[in-house]
Amino acid sequence: GEKKKAEAPKVLRVGTEPTFAPFEFQKDGSKEFDGFDMDLIRAIGKQLNMKVEILNMGFDALIPALNAGNIDVAAAGMSITPDRQKAVDMSDPYYVAGLVVVVNKDNTAVKGINELNNKGIAVQIGTTGAERAAKVPGAKVKNFNTNAEVFLELKNKGVEAVIIDKPVAEYFLATGGGKDYAKIVGDTMEAESYGLSLKKNSPLTKEINKALLDLKKNGEYDKIYAKWFGA
Ligand code: GLN
C-alpha cells in the first residue's frame, strides 16, 4: 500500500518582549528565549503538534502584530484586562501576579504608591504598570521600551520609583544587579492574571485553552512552575 506522507507540523508564531525575567528573557549574549512563559508556550506547541517560533518585539507592538496577522500568539506576561479583551482574544489565566512600587534602597521617604504624587515614575510602555502610574496625581511618567532601561533609570536616580509586576521585581531583586540598589515598598496593587493573547476570534484560542488545561491535568504545568518559582 501507499504510505501516507507525514505532514510537516504547522508553525506557531509567538511574539514576546524578553526583558521580563523570569517569564521571558535572554541570557547575556544569547539569542535563546528562556523563562516560564517560553517553557509554557513550547509545551503548548508540543500539545498542539505545532512548531514554535519565537519573535522578539516591543511590548506595545504585540497587540498590533496579532491584529496584523504577523504573529499567532503573544506570550509576554500580559495581564488580562477588559481593554485588551476588547482588542484581542485572551486565554484562560495561567499565572496570578500584581503590581508593586520599587524605589532606591536609600529612599526612606517613599513607602508606597501614596508618596509618589508629583514624582517621577519609570515604566515599560503599554503595560498595566504604565496605566497605574498615569493615575498618580501629578506624576511625571517616563515610558521606556524595555525593563532594563526602566531599572537603569531608577539606578541613575532619573526617577523616584518604578511600577512593575511583583514577580518580576522580586526576581530582579533576588537574582539581578537590582539587589545592590533597589527595594520593593508598600502593598501589592491591582491583582492581575496573565493570559496568552491571540487575534480576535482566532480558531486557535479554544485549542490553546484546551492545551493549557491538559498541561495542568498531566502535571506538566506544575513542573514548569516549580522550575521557575520553586514547588
Ligand atoms: N503584566 C504587565 C502588563 O500586562 C506587564 C507585562 C510586561 O511588561 N511584559 O501590562
Side-chain angles (χ1 to χ4, degrees), residues 16-17 19-20 23-24 37 59 62 75-81 84 90 97-99 124-131 147 164-165 168 192-194:
T16 198
E17 193 291 302
T19 67
F20 203 62
F23 296 94
E24 40 269 340
D37 287 350
F59 187 76
L62 291 166
M78 194 181 281
S79 303
I80 300 170
T81 69
R84 287 175 181 158
M90 293 205 76
L99 300 173
Q124 187 177 30
I125 191 163
T127 60
T128 50
E131 280 171 32
N147 288 307
I164 193 165
D165 296 49
V168 172
E192 296 179 359
S193 293
Y194 297 162

Side-chain angles (χ1 to χ4, degrees), residues 12 36-49 52 91-94 196 206-226:
L12 185 66
F36 178 85
D37 287 350
M38 303 296 96
D39 285 349
L40 186 63
I41 199 67
R42 287 184 181 113
I44 288 172
K46 225 181 231 168
Q47 204 73 18
L48 300 179
N49 193 26
V52 171
S91 75
D92 294 333
Y94 66 82
L196 301 161
K206 243 177 88 183
E207 291 188 53
I208 294 249
N209 279 333
K210 165 89 169 53
L212 256 180
L213 198 64
D214 288 344
L215 294 172
K216 284 191 178 169
K217 281 187 192 153
N218 71 15
E220 192 65 28
Y221 176 94
D222 287 343
K223 256 198 232 161
I224 297 171
Y225 190 97

Side-chain angles (χ1 to χ4, degrees), residues 57-167:
M57 48 186 75
F59 187 76
D60 64 338
L62 291 166
I63 288 181
L66 287 170
N67 285 330
N70 295 334
I71 55 172
D72 304 303
V73 184
M78 194 181 281
S79 303
I80 300 170
T81 69
D83 279 351
R84 287 175 181 158
Q85 282 174 311
K86 272 180 221 153
V88 290
D89 281 359
M90 293 205 76
S91 75
D92 294 333
Y94 66 82
Y95 188 91
V96 178
L99 300 173
V100 288
V101 174
V102 183
V103 298
N104 281 293
K105 257 187 180 166
D106 58 6
N107 187 336
T108 51
V110 175
K111 295 186 174 66
I113 190 91
N114 294 329
E115 282 88 33
L116 289 181
N117 291 10
N118 306 311
K119 301 261 164 74
I121 306 173
V123 293
Q124 187 177 30
I125 191 163
T127 60
T128 50
E131 280 171 32
R132 184 65 190 85
K135 287 186 198 146
V136 175
K140 293 177 269 298
V141 182
K142 290 194 187 176
N143 285 276
F144 294 92
N145 282 319
T146 68
N147 288 307
E149 295 165 281
V150 167
F151 280 119
L152 195 61
E153 187 70 6
L154 179 71
K155 188 178 186 180
N156 294 337
K157 303 203 170 169
V159 288
E160 193 91 5
V162 162
I163 299 181
I164 193 165
D165 296 49
K166 181 182 184 179

